[in-house]
Amino acid sequence: MNSSPLVPVASDGPGFPRWTETLRDHRQVVIRPITPLDKAAEREFIEGLSTEARHFRFLGAVRSPSDAMIDKLTRIDHVHDVAFAAVAADDAGERFVGVSRYGTDADGRSCECAVTISDGWQGHGLGTILMGHLIDVARARGIETMYSMDSAENTRMHDLAKALGFHTRPDPDDATQVIHHLALQD
């Protein structure tokens, strides 16, 4: 992974930088916070995912997200929730090619995270980059643990979680799922 240093090149919100990253295949993306202005980009991103990728992201069948879902995914409070988009330039302008996010639990000491990468952008280090920025922000905010609930069949997420130091265990409430857990503070 050839990533730029964790130094912001611009600011889009309270404490949220913007990074330019170069992937293993030399394509570049900008990682930036998701805002309410991104509703159309978020919808296009979700609808452009393969059936399997949508299933792994939402742990169920989501073909076309509702307006309420899109509103929830783009209206980030920047205190309890963090969401980053990986944005790539193309002939039509810019489009989301990956998204990572976390939301804190009620105690504020732990957060649930998720990362989703467009099918054509998988396998080039983008998930690692997005999760790296998410982990850095959570650590800086004093969050103690990060976890992700995923399909047991999602081998890409299992490999990513393992590479990032997460520990994996079966979900005691659902045999089809696993829980990846990462301690963020020493």
Side-chain angles (χ1 to χ4, degrees):
M1 168 178 62
N2 293 327
S3 69
S4 61
L6 295 177
V7 176
V9 293
S11 179
D12 280 350
F16 291 107
R18 175 187 291 249
W19 299 272
T20 299
E21 300 284 359
T22 302
L23 305 181
R24 287 192 299 255
D25 65 355
H26 306 290
R27 289 185 287 183
Q28 285 197 325
V29 296
V30 171
I31 310 294
R32 65 161 179 81
I34 294 175
T35 73
L37 299 175
D38 291 319
K39 288 181 181 182
E42 181 76 22
R43 179 179 302 283
E44 182 181 331
F45 173 71
I46 293 169
E47 290 176 349
L49 295 171
S50 66
T51 302
E52 179 182 64
R54 277 195 311 273
H55 172 73
F56 286 158
R57 169 56 184 97
F58 298 105
L59 295 176
V62 172
R63 181 177 170 91
S64 182
S66 68
D67 290 341
M69 176 185 270
I70 293 297
D71 190 58
K72 181 179 178 183
L73 294 172
T74 58
R75 196 167 300 278
I76 310 303
D77 74 5
H78 301 292
V79 174
H80 302 99
D81 305 310
V82 172
F84 292 127
V87 181
D90 65 14
D91 294 338
E94 292 183 339
R95 65 185 172 100
F96 284 10
V97 295
V99 170
S100 65
R101 60 181 67 243
Y102 77 68
T104 58
D105 291 349
D107 65 7
R109 296 172 31 196
S110 59
C111 66
E112 182 175 5
C113 68
V115 62
T116 308
I117 308 300
S118 292
D119 295 82
W121 290 75
Q122 293 179 13
H124 302 287
L126 182 55
T128 302
I129 290 168
L130 279 167
M131 283 299 298
H133 289 301
L134 205 63
I135 290 167
D136 288 344
V137 169
R139 278 192 175 123
R141 290 177 167 222
I143 296 172
E144 296 173 12
T145 59
M146 180 178 277
Y147 66 92
S148 177
M149 299 175 70
D150 294 285
S151 168
E153 297 175 353
N154 190 344
T155 56
R156 283 187 184 260
M157 184 59 195
H158 178 78
D159 293 345
L160 175 62
K162 184 177 180 182
L164 292 171
F166 282 74
H167 299 279
T168 303
R169 65 179 170 87
D171 183 339
D173 298 323
D174 186 339
T176 67
Q177 294 181 176
V178 295
I179 301 172
H180 305 291
H181 179 270
L182 178 66
L184 298 173
Q185 306 299 326
D186 293 332

